[in-house]
Amino acid sequence: MNSELSIQLEDQPATKNKSNFIPMLGNFNIQYNFTAASIAVTFLSSSAYLDHALREEPDWASAITLPIVFVGAMTGMLVMGRLGDVLGRNRAMQVTLCLSVAGCVIPALAVGNANATFAILNAGRLILGIGVGGIYPLSAVSAAEGTDKAEDRGTRVGMAFFFQSIGCLVPYLVAMILIPVLQPSTPEPWVPQVQFRFLFALGAVPGLIIIAATCREKSSTPELPVNVERPSLRDAFARQPREIWRTLLGTSGSWFLYDIAYYGTNIFTPSLLGKICLTGNKVDGVCNQSLFETAWQSVIVQAMGIPACLIAIRLIGRFGSRFLNIMGFLLLSLLFLAMAIVWTVNEDLHMLLFVIFCAITFCLNFGPNLGTYVLPAICFPFEVRSTCHGISAFGGKLGAVVGTLIFKPVSLMDGGIAALLFMQAAVCLTGAVVGHIFLKSDFEYLESEDKDATLTFLSGIENARSGRLSGARPSRPSAPP
């Protein structure tokens, strides 16, 4: 390593213990914006309040409104994940949060007829998806690298991830407050306007707070100056052991299968609750319960994720992410199978179906929900850690797109809900098999010290620079003992 680079690196912080605030609020920001976007669109297009939709969703928009935010998120995970390894965690976080804030503000300012409104809304959702997607890898690796104790990394990442459960719950609480507070004596079109815009705009607040925090906080990892040449993605992966590809297949494959189950269930929670129709009456197969009734039922269901996530955080330090993944997938498979059987036998058993659905939500947040997020933050080498977490998260969001796209056509078939539940059971069983075959326990990944990985990274950068100057291919450093 040359003397110039050595001097520059000496200016970096010597200790790695720091607050977990930025990763925590970043994870809150992720789920608040994903969930609030769906609820806001419901306010805009629902006829429950005015007896007609404020903006009738055009056919072209209904085909892309849900998938477009996931397309953006997948892009953000790959691009911002790589930027986290190239620019440093804090710098990349600032870039992705600026996109996240813009993606909240643009839909909140949407104007015009239905076509214009939904065009602006979907443009904003795409930008929002890119910004929020980038937070996934950056917040995870920042939490993991915020401590110098390897054994604490899983718990730190898990605690940061816990705030996704809070972020998923808060939009429903905000909606429950907005519905009774904004109730003039006669229905007015401005009411859903305010509700729609407020839910979107509120999502910009956490992002602005995190931007301010990252500007004040020094990075916990060595951030190379901008004038130092970085190795290409190909060179970075060429220096890693071959086993990294097996691990990457395990982390991305598990996340892919989990998100099929998660988003195929959770993002359509209001629709499923309408099918269960716990407090309303079905007329010609349509539940007549109000948006407020559906909202409080959604709060109950989503609240099941909070104790589930806390229990998982408590256990992850003892059993590891791989164990939580496998056990969680198996429990989910059994519960989806049970709900499918009950639905097939008698779909009028509303209370039993609601209880099983709450249990499913508990397990969705207990095992692989935490494990798939935590493991990629601790099992990959420093040089490609953020990139690999982004690739793993990309696999998850690919599963989210599959889950959201298959739900509607399958659910509209005769016996569609039961068929969907049987499919979910099979998906979760496959997830348990993938985790068992391709992944190792956290403790095996943590055997080599992060210091060794960092030194290998810095040595590789010097080799890459020397190789480019001389025209030779950079050498591959030997793996640490």
Side-chain angles (χ1 to χ4, degrees):
M1 188 181 298
N2 64 27
S3 57
E4 178 187 355
L5 184 58
S6 299
I7 293 171
Q8 290 168 328
L9 287 173
E10 286 175 1
D11 294 333
Q12 300 297 330
T15 60
K16 299 181 70 176
N17 294 305
K18 66 171 187 175
S19 169
N20 214 18
F21 172 76
I22 290 175
M24 286 176 174
L25 192 57
N27 276 280
F28 173 88
N29 194 30
I30 290 171
Q31 279 304 331
Y32 175 88
N33 282 299
F34 274 141
T35 308
S38 296
I39 299 174
V41 172
T42 301
F43 279 127
L44 188 67
S45 58
S46 174
S47 59
Y49 176 70
L50 295 173
D51 290 330
H52 62 84
L54 181 66
R55 295 287 189 277
E56 193 72 42
E57 188 172 17
D59 291 339
W60 65 265
S62 62
I64 67 170
T65 298
L66 276 176
I68 198 167
V69 71
F70 293 124
V71 172
M74 292 158 66
T75 304
M77 288 164 178
L78 293 177
V79 175
M80 299 302 169
R82 181 57 187 156
L83 282 181
D85 288 326
V86 173
L87 298 180
R89 318 309 191 211
N90 277 6
R91 293 172 188 162
M93 181 70 86
Q94 290 163 4
V95 173
T96 198
L97 284 167
C98 287
L99 292 173
S100 173
V101 170
C104 294
V105 174
I106 289 171
L109 300 177
V111 294
N113 59 23
N115 283 310
T117 297
F118 275 91
I120 296 171
L121 184 149
N122 281 298
R125 282 170 66 90
L126 178 63
I127 297 171
L128 175 65
I130 295 173
V132 170
I135 299 173
Y136 268 88
L138 297 172
S139 62
V141 297
S142 295
E145 294 167 353
T147 178
D148 54 8
K149 296 181 180 179
E151 63 273 15
D152 291 343
R153 290 178 192 162
T155 302
R156 268 182 68 91
V157 180
M159 280 304 302
F161 181 79
F162 166 72
F163 280 77
Q164 285 202 25
S165 297
I166 306 295
C168 194
L169 182 63
V170 167
Y172 289 105
L173 294 175
V174 173
M176 289 179 64
I177 293 171
L178 288 174
I179 291 173
V181 167
L182 299 177
Q183 286 288 354
S185 56
T186 58
E188 297 287 345
W190 63 264
V191 173
Q193 285 266 18
V194 171
Q195 293 168 335
F196 159 75
R197 298 180 193 282
F198 184 83
L199 274 168
F200 261 117
L202 190 62
V205 175
L208 293 171
I209 294 173
I210 303 170
I211 291 173
T214 55
C215 291
R216 294 171 58 88
E217 185 175 68
K218 290 185 178 180
S219 176
S220 61
T221 58
E223 289 190 357
L224 299 180
V226 293
N227 62 336
V228 176
E229 185 178 3
R230 276 74 169 174
S232 67
L233 181 61
R234 179 180 178 181
D235 290 342
F237 273 106
R239 284 193 290 274
Q240 311 309 320
R242 288 186 178 182
E243 187 180 355
I244 193 176
W245 298 107
R246 179 185 181 90
T247 304
L248 191 57
L249 181 61
T251 55
S252 57
S254 297
W255 210 335
F256 170 79
L257 293 165
Y258 170 72
D259 271 18
I260 291 178
Y262 183 87
Y263 283 95
T265 303
N266 271 23
I267 204 164
F268 292 104
T269 292
S271 300
L272 283 169
L273 291 175
K275 292 284 186 180
I276 294 173
C277 202
L278 182 65
T279 58
N281 297 311
K282 285 188 177 181
V283 179
D284 296 328
V286 178
C287 182
N288 66 355
Q289 67 185 17
S290 66
L291 284 175
F292 183 82
E293 290 172 320
T294 302
W296 75 255
Q297 291 169 30
S298 297
V299 168
I300 293 174
V301 172
Q302 296 299 334
M304 300 300 297
I306 294 177
C309 193
L310 289 173
I311 293 171
I313 293 169
R314 181 74 175 175
L315 296 177
I316 199 168
R318 177 178 298 181
F319 298 106
S321 304
R322 177 178 180 268
F323 176 84
L324 290 182
N325 281 354
I326 294 172
M327 292 305 299
F329 272 127
L330 291 175
L331 287 172
L332 282 168
S333 184
L334 291 173
L335 286 168
F336 276 121
L337 182 62
M339 188 170 179
I341 292 171
V342 172
W343 199 290
T344 302
V345 173
N346 186 355
E347 63 180 68
D348 292 327
L349 296 173
H350 299 157
M351 184 55 71
L352 178 58
L353 288 169
F354 183 73
V355 170
I356 297 175
F357 189 55
C358 287
I360 287 174
T361 304
F362 180 93
C363 289
L364 280 170
N365 289 273
F366 165 71
N369 190 34
L370 185 69
T372 54
Y373 180 84
V374 171
L375 192 56
I378 61 178
C379 70
F380 293 109
F382 174 83
E383 182 180 5
V384 293
R385 185 175 297 151
S386 180
T387 301
C388 287
H389 197 288
I391 294 172
S392 301
F394 174 89
K397 281 299 167 283
L398 186 61
V401 172
V402 172
T404 55
L405 291 180
I406 67 172
F407 181 94
K408 194 165 187 177
V410 172
S411 64
L412 293 176
M413 298 164 48
D414 290 336
I417 295 295
L420 178 73
L421 294 169
F422 280 120
M423 290 171 60
Q424 299 281 54
V427 165
C428 291
L429 182 61
T430 306
V433 173
V434 169
H436 178 74
I437 294 175
F438 292 101
L439 297 176
K440 298 187 295 186
S441 72
D442 304 29
F443 316 108
E444 293 179 75
Y445 292 118
L446 291 173
E447 282 178 355
S448 59
E449 291 295 324
D450 190 60
K451 179 180 177 181
D452 293 333
T454 304
L455 290 175
T456 301
F457 164 64
L458 298 175
S459 174
I461 289 216
E462 284 305 291
N463 288 337
R465 292 184 67 197
S466 301
R468 285 194 179 90
L469 290 173
S470 64
R473 179 174 175 169
S475 60
R476 176 172 176 167
S478 57

